[in-house]
Amino acid sequence: MAETLRIFVSATRDLESARAVIGQTLAELPVQIGAEIRRTPADGLSYDSLFEAISNVDRLYFLLGRDITAPSGVEWMLGLRLERSIYPLRLAWTRTLAAEEFLRIAPVEWTNFHNQRHLAQLIGLDLIDLLLHPKNRYGLNLTEIEALRVRRAQIRDGMVVTVVNPGGAEGGGVLLNRAQIESEEGVLLEE
């Protein structure tokens, strides 16, 4: 049975609008899978709820801007503690002393991005690699697998440009494939 792709997006306050890049990039991929995108809502979460939200994700995207801000530090620490797969991305810009210290003590190699378009390219390539899991965890058919390989080459060659629209689901969201929509009495918004 196909698994649901579960993602947690952590972003510092100055990159709040960049969260939408992940959902939009995922939605534009040529596949029909179930996906869940989680985040800490603006009004916050208890530690136990945040622990639960991060504990079973396939990928934690961590977006660091000019400064390290709450609750991203706690999200980072939980991701490490729970041994989640973290993709650390940082805006190629000057940072505060607190953010520089955070980078110094963070035990990972960071990937720089220059703008939201560049971020969308990095996320697109990473999502495709996740979806093309050797055990086909997400139930892709051969047509979808080939389409993802073609899309990966297009992204690498700069042929696919994601136009980022600000906004998104404030508390996270769930993307359902057609079978899930029908079995869960969901509503298909666009065909």
Side-chain angles (χ1 to χ4, degrees), residues 34-73:
E36 188 176 321
I37 301 174
R38 302 172 182 177
R39 61 162 293 173
T40 301
D43 57 353
L45 284 177
S46 69
Y47 182 83
D48 290 340
S49 296
L50 185 57
F51 186 96
E52 179 66 30
I54 293 174
S55 67
N56 67 345
V57 296
D58 299 302
R59 174 76 83 226
L60 188 153
Y61 289 106
F62 190 88
L63 309 177
L64 177 66
R66 294 185 59 129
D67 196 9
I68 185 72
T69 56
S72 55

Side-chain angles (χ1 to χ4, degrees), residues 63-186:
L63 309 177
L64 177 66
R66 294 185 59 129
D67 196 9
I68 185 72
T69 56
S72 55
V74 173
E75 294 165 346
W76 174 265
M77 293 308 294
L78 273 174
L80 288 177
R81 179 176 166 205
L82 294 168
E83 298 178 353
R84 297 295 82 203
S85 175
I86 301 174
Y87 188 10
L89 297 135
R90 65 181 179 189
L91 182 63
W93 196 257
T94 58
R95 276 173 281 289
T96 65
L97 290 175
E100 287 297 333
E101 179 64 12
F102 178 80
L103 287 171
R104 190 185 69 73
I105 63 171
V108 297
E109 186 175 327
W110 290 82
T111 300
N112 288 325
F113 67 95
H114 303 283
N115 52 43
Q116 288 194 2
R117 180 177 287 177
H118 186 210
L119 178 62
Q121 289 174 316
L122 294 169
I123 295 295
L125 292 170
D126 185 66
L127 284 169
I128 289 169
D129 288 343
L130 277 174
L131 292 172
L132 291 176
H133 189 276
K135 294 185 180 178
N136 196 11
R137 292 176 51 194
Y138 307 105
L140 302 177
N141 62 44
L142 291 176
T143 303
E144 290 173 318
I145 290 170
E146 185 55 33
L148 283 175
R149 289 181 178 146
V150 168
R151 178 64 62 92
R152 180 172 43 198
Q154 291 171 335
I155 292 171
R156 284 191 179 142
D157 293 342
M159 295 169 54
V160 174
V161 178
T162 299
V163 178
V164 179
N165 297 318
E170 290 297 318
V174 178
L175 302 173
L176 302 174
N177 65 29
R178 184 173 307 282
Q180 289 172 312
I181 290 169
E182 292 167 1
S183 70
E184 297 181 26
E185 296 181 12

